[in-house]
Amino acid sequence: MEIIICENPTSASRLAALHVAAVIRAKPEAVLGLATGATPVALYAELAELFRRGMADFSRCSTFNLDEYVGIGRDHPASFSRFMREKLFRHINVLPENTRIPDGLAGDIPGHCAAYEKAISAAGGIDLQILGIGADGHIGFNEPSSSLASRTRLKTLTRKTREDNARFFGRGEPVPQHAITMGIGTIMEAREAVLLAFGEAKAQAVANAIEGPVSASNPASILQMHPRAVIFLDDLAAGLLQRSDYYREVFEQKPHWQRGDFGGVVFWEDKR
Ligand code: PGA
């Protein structure tokens, strides 16, 4: 795992965006796995800015989102479909027909999930999967106890997740109890996983994921088994890591040719 600790969410998101842009430059038809929630909002704003400046072209990319609530349609204000249109898709040149999000109103949910998996395979698999992390360690909506080999399927959300996400719903409006989510096995097949986490509320989940045992009780810990996982943190989310000094040192000492992974851009303005 590569653990990159930045001063604040803005610098971390900028760096992550440069990394995504470098992946797209290297492979213009890249397949991106996308996440929703508060965490990737700044990343998407940075990607939109890179597009405006001519530094990122999404015209040949395709995207697959991690998850969607069951029981709400694509135009519901809290749907992830709407989130993606508002926060990213309408600001860049990805073709709408190349963006896929599970359908929260699918009649045949198992059939829909199987078709989603097939579509990912038919697209050549996911090149880079963006991830957030829940305070309970979930990735996508794979709640604790999810099979580490799971595929896209229906999941029941924990009370904690529903409480955390109530802020995206209208006052008094119930958060759906179920979601369709890519599985942990699906996520692990992405060629690269990029997880972002910001703020003190994520510090324990981040420490468990990076330095704790690999366990279905803490789904994000499976990234320890991923051959290419990059974790972007701010100082607060990194606050409970035992080896944060080492992670900072690794990044500061990165040889120039490795920094090229980030598009050859001089980006490390966060030097301490
Ligand atoms: P958040 O959610 O970005 O809104 O904190 C992250 C997640 O639940 O994966």
Side-chain angles (χ1 to χ4, degrees):
M1 276 186 297
E2 178 165 19
I3 296 138
I4 300 176
I5 304 172
C6 297
E7 204 169 353
N8 55 53
T10 307
S11 50
S13 301
R14 190 158 296 159
L15 207 50
L18 288 168
H19 181 46
V20 174
V23 167
I24 296 170
R25 260 200 302 281
K27 184 176 179 184
E29 67 286 8
V31 179
L32 302 177
L34 299 177
T36 52
T39 305
V41 170
L43 165 67
Y44 295 153
E46 294 288 343
L47 286 175
E49 180 59 25
L50 289 175
F51 168 68
R52 272 193 293 274
R53 291 196 206 174
M55 291 168 70
D57 175 9
F58 299 86
S59 60
R60 291 165 63 192
C61 289
S62 48
T63 69
F64 287 88
N65 264 75
L66 281 169
D67 45 18
E68 180 61 282
Y69 294 109
V70 167
I72 64 175
R74 62 193 301 277
D75 291 323
H76 186 286
S79 79
F80 292 155
S81 186
R82 180 140 164 198
F83 174 101
M84 289 310 305
R85 293 198 301 278
E86 285 176 3
K87 302 295 182 199
L88 183 64
F89 296 155
R90 72 187 175 94
H91 305 288
I92 62 174
N93 63 340
V94 68
L95 299 174
E97 60 269 32
N98 290 344
T99 63
R100 291 188 188 79
I101 301 179
D103 179 1
L105 296 180
D108 167 16
I109 291 180
H112 182 66
C113 293
Y116 203 71
E117 288 277 342
K118 268 200 183 139
I120 293 172
S121 297
I126 292 171
D127 290 296
L128 184 152
Q129 176 66 57
I130 308 282
L131 297 165
I133 182 171
D136 62 2
H138 71 215
I139 47 175
F141 270 139
N142 295 285
E143 301 285 27
S145 79
S146 287
S147 162
L148 297 179
S150 50
R151 312 302 307 189
T152 303
R153 70 215 182 288
L154 181 83
K155 279 301 289 181
T156 303
L157 303 179
T158 61
R159 183 168 307 185
K160 169 78 177 136
T161 296
R162 296 175 70 222
E163 282 167 9
D164 285 350
N165 290 4
R167 66 194 195 279
F168 299 112
F169 287 77
R171 190 183 293 210
E173 187 182 1
V175 178
Q177 290 202 314
H178 298 103
I180 294 171
T181 182
M182 274 187 209
I184 297 177
T186 321
I187 291 168
M188 287 294 283
E189 278 173 14
R191 292 178 191 95
E192 178 175 357
V194 170
L195 184 142
L196 295 95
F198 307 133
E200 211 175 347
K202 300 291 174 70
Q204 190 62 59
V206 164
N208 292 344
I210 295 174
E211 296 178 342
V214 174
S215 161
S217 295
N218 182 15
S221 64
I222 193 64
L223 295 177
Q224 295 177 32
M225 306 283 291
H226 197 289
R228 177 120 183 83
V230 187
I231 320 283
F232 289 91
L233 305 172
D234 68 348
D235 278 334
L236 291 173
L240 296 177
L241 290 170
Q242 301 289 317
R243 281 179 288 277
S244 59
D245 287 348
Y246 174 62
Y247 309 140
R248 290 181 207 278
E249 206 179 305
V250 169
F251 191 65
E252 282 171 14
Q253 301 305 320
K254 250 171 109 93
H256 185 69
W257 57 270
Q258 272 193 342
R259 289 175 183 237
D261 278 0
F262 293 90
V265 183
V266 180
F267 54 79
W268 186 233
E269 31 183 81
D270 196 22
K271 226 169 199 159
R272 55 192 76 217

